[in-house]
């Protein structure tokens, strides 16, 4: 990737995060960078191309996070750590989550990839839950598809957490609150060992 395109994506990310996608035009991006419209369109023909590139940058960072997780990380502390890292990425690319519905409706490339991505993430979390059950941190499932629905709730919480914060204008540590919300989702599934470990980590 050229240095100019890197600068375009970095400036666009800052503008999208600050003002929202709908309020940032290609012209505003060129003014921020002090480059000509032709220079911008040479690297990114449409604003949609910038949105798509930033979305895939987020996916790539999430993929790296998951790739770095091993069976040895499947502890409660490892889960808490990965939850914090997840929030850091959500915050870094916050425009995607704040403008989630708009992005899915207007960008077919992103919407198609996201639908595929969710299936992949579901499989990854099923593997994580399986390891946590094996390590006696989570209890075995008691209902059909119980952990599938746990993942679904975690996914919804992650995708729309910042929207809720934006609407209600929370005055709190967002990262800590997000970690707490995820842990509270998981808490009913913890074994006695898992609950004891949670108390030790607090």
């Amino acid at each position: 990737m050229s240095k100019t395109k890197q600068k375009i994506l970095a400036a666009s990310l800052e503008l999208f995060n600050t003002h929202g996608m709908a309020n940032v035009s290609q012209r505003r991006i060129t003014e921020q960078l002090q480059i000509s419209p032709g220079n911008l369109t040479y690297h990114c023909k449409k604003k949609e191309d910038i949105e798509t590139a930033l979305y895939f940058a987020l996916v790539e960072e999430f993929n790296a996070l998951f790739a770095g997780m091993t069976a040895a990380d499947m502890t409660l502390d490892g889960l808490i750590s990965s939850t914090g890292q997840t929030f850091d990425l959500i915050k870094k690319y916050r425009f995607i989550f704040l403008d989630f519905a708009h992005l899915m409706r207007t960008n077919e490339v992103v919407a198609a990839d996201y639908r595929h991505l969710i299936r992949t993430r579901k499989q990854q979390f099923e593997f994580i839950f399986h390891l946590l059950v094996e390590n006696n941190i989570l209890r075995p499932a008691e209902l059909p598809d119980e952990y599938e629905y746990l993942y679904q709730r975690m996914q919804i919480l992650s995708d729309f957490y910042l929207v809720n914060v934006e609407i209600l204008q929370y005055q709190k540590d967002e990262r800590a609150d997000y970690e707490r919300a995820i842990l509270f989702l998981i808490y009913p599934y913890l074994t006695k060992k898992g609950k004891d470990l949670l108390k030790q980590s607090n």
Side-chain angles (χ1 to χ4, degrees), residues 87 90 97-98 156-166 170 172-179 181:
F87 180 78
I90 290 172
F97 300 90
L98 291 173
I156 293 170
L157 173 61
S158 295
D159 285 348
F160 297 102
Y161 176 82
L162 286 185
V163 173
N164 193 52
V165 170
E166 183 92 352
Y170 287 149
K172 59 177 69 175
D173 182 337
E174 294 172 3
R175 191 181 197 269
D177 184 65
Y178 174 82
E179 289 178 338

Side-chain angles (χ1 to χ4, degrees), residues 47-108:
K47 191 174 83 166
E48 184 178 284
D49 295 334
I50 299 173
E51 299 164 5
T52 302
L54 289 172
Y55 163 80
F56 280 109
L58 168 63
V59 171
E60 187 176 328
E61 291 202 46
F62 266 125
N63 287 343
L65 175 60
F66 279 100
M69 296 174 70
T70 66
D73 296 318
M74 290 306 105
T75 63
L76 197 60
D77 284 341
L79 185 62
I80 294 170
S81 175
S82 65
T83 299
Q85 291 173 296
T86 293
F87 180 78
D88 291 341
L89 289 177
I90 290 172
K91 191 73 173 178
K92 179 178 178 180
Y93 294 90
R94 57 189 175 274
F95 84 92
I96 291 175
F97 300 90
L98 291 173
D99 294 320
F100 189 80
H102 175 73
L103 185 61
M104 293 299 133
R105 286 176 175 173
T106 59
N107 192 313
E108 293 180 5

